Amino acid sequence: MKNIKNSITKEQIYTDPFGYTYKEMVSALGETESKIFFSELYSKQKNNNNHFTIRIKDKFDGKDTTKYAFELSDNFCIETVCIKRKTGTTICISTMVGCPVGCIFCASGKNGFIRNLTPSEIVQQVVMVKERINRIVFMGMGEPLFNYDSVIKSIHILRDRDGLNFPTDGITISTVGPVPQLRKLREEHLKIQLTLSLHATNQRIRNLVMPHMKNFDIEEIVGSVLSYSDRHNRKVTIAYLLIPGINDKPSDVQHLSKWFVGKNVLINVLQYNETECSVVKRPNKQQLVAFKKKLEDAGLSVKLRESRGNNIKAACGQLVSNFNKKNQSGKRKNVVIHQDNSKDKKKVREDNNKSNGYKEKHNKRKVVNRKKK
């Protein structure tokens, strides 16, 4: 964690308290007042309505799944899902309004990327749901590691002993794998669970499935995830959405085997949950089972992941708030997915400049040609 800034005021704390760690509160309120306030803030028995900056706009109930639509202070909305299992209840929380990654099978980026969530907006999703939660997954709208600082701070707040005291083992980040952020996460003293959304075994197919991740090499991504596993002695999960005819070839099995046999890895084979995308086709049960067997025969640990919440559009890939359509005019951001090191930032800027330069030259040629005619 970064050093606490002495500039935090008492007014800021009481205006949006869910965005501050206990140590930050102490710096502004003192230890006695902070201990009482922080404890009350995260008590399920207390009414904290006066401190919430988001509100429940709608709620959708399924058989074993509940979806919340939360409205933020700027009227944009996010979706959060609670899934009841035999072992307890998992909450799937969002980290962005929209998403910049553009996975072809996912609806979350349908309205584009609008903005990152604050640590407070992330934490409040957990606090405001009615269910008693025993597992938190950063697997909702948005890419968690592209909102790195807010996500890490929210985890520190959620696991604080003076507040929710949520066990670190019960927190999972699901990521598409930006390498610089993965390397930073490796050095964090958190030991959270990690899931990599891989969905391909070569760069060409991954670029097709995740068009805005072209700047990140698939071999480096896999290497960084395995390095995280070794560093923290954690089993990592590889999410693999099966797309028949695209990523289920013998070469895909060979690649997955080369990377993960003998490693502390579980392969989760996923079935596509229908969205408006017409490119991806949902595999049938036989195709899923057949692919699972091929991977197991190659020596891999594999599980078919059962989707929940399809009936209320709450399954993986289906989270997108239609409330945002009317709000996004003039506010949608065209973002470039930045990497952390300066060389990569320089390359992104150079690529953007080249692109803009090409457009300017192209437009000038059009004008010149019109004049000649």
Side-chain angles (χ1 to χ4, degrees):
M1 290 288 288
K2 297 177 181 177
N3 290 331
I4 298 169
K5 296 180 180 178
N6 294 324
S7 58
I8 298 172
T9 66
K10 188 170 184 176
E11 183 183 5
Q12 288 174 319
I13 295 288
Y14 277 102
T15 299
D16 190 12
F18 292 102
Y20 296 96
T21 63
Y22 176 70
K23 287 184 179 180
E24 286 175 323
M25 282 195 180
V26 170
S27 72
L29 307 179
E31 191 154 356
T32 303
E33 186 176 350
S34 296
K35 198 169 188 67
I36 296 169
F37 182 46
F38 202 77
S39 177
E40 288 181 350
L41 201 63
Y42 293 100
S43 170
K44 285 286 185 182
Q45 283 73 44
K46 299 289 182 179
N47 186 343
N48 298 310
N49 288 346
N50 292 336
H51 301 294
F52 291 141
T53 62
I54 69 177
R55 72 179 186 91
I56 299 173
K57 187 178 180 70
D58 210 340
K59 185 180 174 185
F60 308 87
D61 291 312
K63 182 180 178 182
D64 52 10
T65 306
T66 303
K67 182 170 73 170
Y68 292 85
F70 286 111
E71 185 174 47
L72 311 177
S73 58
D74 56 7
N75 302 126
F76 285 109
C77 291
I78 55 171
E79 293 186 338
T80 304
V81 178
C82 289
I83 305 162
K84 294 176 184 176
R85 304 180 187 277
K86 291 180 181 178
T87 55
T89 299
T90 298
I91 185 171
C92 180
I93 59 178
S94 295
T95 56
M96 295 176 171
V97 183
C99 183
V101 177
C103 300
I104 60 171
F105 55 83
C106 181
S108 291
K110 186 176 73 172
N111 296 324
F113 170 77
I114 298 171
R115 69 169 176 86
N116 286 326
L117 297 186
T118 65
S120 173
E121 290 166 337
I122 294 172
V123 169
Q124 285 179 74
Q125 293 174 67
V126 179
V127 176
M128 290 184 71
V129 298
K130 306 302 180 187
E131 291 79 358
R132 185 174 292 277
I133 306 301
N134 71 337
R135 187 165 175 243
I136 298 171
V137 292
F138 287 80
M139 205 179 288
M141 295 168 64
E143 163 52 45
L145 294 191
F146 284 134
N147 189 12
Y148 189 90
D149 290 342
S150 289
V151 166
I152 297 301
K153 186 173 184 181
S154 70
I155 292 172
H156 280 286
I157 295 169
L158 291 167
R159 68 195 284 268
D160 197 293
R161 291 178 182 177
D162 291 297
L164 279 182
N165 193 23
F166 204 91
T168 306
D169 277 353
I171 300 175
T172 300
I173 286 181
S174 177
T175 178
V176 295
V179 175
Q181 288 89 338
L182 280 174
R183 289 172 179 163
K184 282 177 69 176
L185 188 65
R186 180 186 182 275
E187 304 308 315
E188 298 281 354
H189 297 288
L190 288 174
K191 294 187 177 181
I192 55 174
Q193 311 297 338
L194 185 65
T195 294
L196 172 66
S197 294
L198 186 60
H199 311 316
T201 62
N202 63 69
Q203 197 68 46
R204 183 181 67 83
I205 296 300
R206 198 163 201 260
N207 291 349
L208 174 69
V209 176
M210 299 177 174
H212 297 161
M213 287 296 291
K214 292 179 181 178
N215 289 337
F216 300 96
D217 180 71
I218 191 170
E219 295 284 348
E220 286 189 49
I221 292 169
V222 170
S224 296
V225 168
L226 292 177
S227 179
Y228 179 91
S229 174
D230 292 339
R231 170 82 164 79
H232 295 287
N233 192 26
R234 283 284 186 271
K235 175 171 281 189
V236 294
T237 300
I238 305 298
Y240 198 85
L241 182 79
L242 187 64
I243 311 174
I246 302 294
N247 65 358
D248 61 344
K249 298 179 174 61
S251 60
D252 294 307
V253 176
Q254 291 169 7
H255 260 96
L256 291 170
S257 173
K258 181 189 76 172
W259 284 332
F260 303 125
V261 164
K263 304 295 183 181
N264 198 10
V265 168
L266 171 69
I267 309 286
N268 256 356
V269 179
L270 282 63
Q271 190 173 27
Y272 170 62
N273 298 307
E274 286 91 345
T275 64
E276 293 180 3
C277 174
S278 59
V279 178
V280 181
K281 302 299 180 186
R282 183 177 173 89
N284 58 41
K285 185 74 173 186
Q286 289 77 12
Q287 289 171 313
L288 289 166
V289 171
F291 188 68
K292 177 177 182 285
K293 187 177 187 308
K294 289 176 184 177
L295 294 179
E296 288 174 333
D297 289 346
L300 292 162
S301 176
V302 191
K303 183 178 180 181
L304 295 181
R305 196 172 86 191
E306 181 186 357
S307 289
R308 308 283 185 92
N310 271 289
N311 58 327
I312 55 171
K313 295 293 182 184
C316 287
Q318 293 182 328
L319 297 189
V320 55
S321 183
N322 291 323
F323 294 116
N324 290 335
K325 287 182 179 179
K326 61 185 178 183
N327 291 328
Q328 74 176 53
S329 179
K331 293 188 179 181
R332 174 174 166 176
K333 297 179 182 178
N334 295 316
V335 295
V336 175
I337 296 177
H338 293 294
Q339 302 187 32
D340 277 359
N341 56 15
S342 57
K343 287 183 180 178
D344 290 324
K345 286 183 178 179
K346 183 179 178 183
K347 185 180 185 304
V348 170
R349 285 196 298 269
E350 286 173 351
D351 289 343
N352 287 342
N353 290 337
K354 286 177 184 177
S355 175
N356 292 335
Y358 170 78
K359 289 175 184 176
E360 288 175 10
K361 288 179 182 178
H362 186 66
N363 291 334
K364 283 178 182 177
R365 286 195 195 108
K366 282 184 175 180
V367 173
V368 170
N369 289 336
R370 285 197 198 103
K371 286 180 178 178
K372 285 180 180 180
K373 289 178 183 178

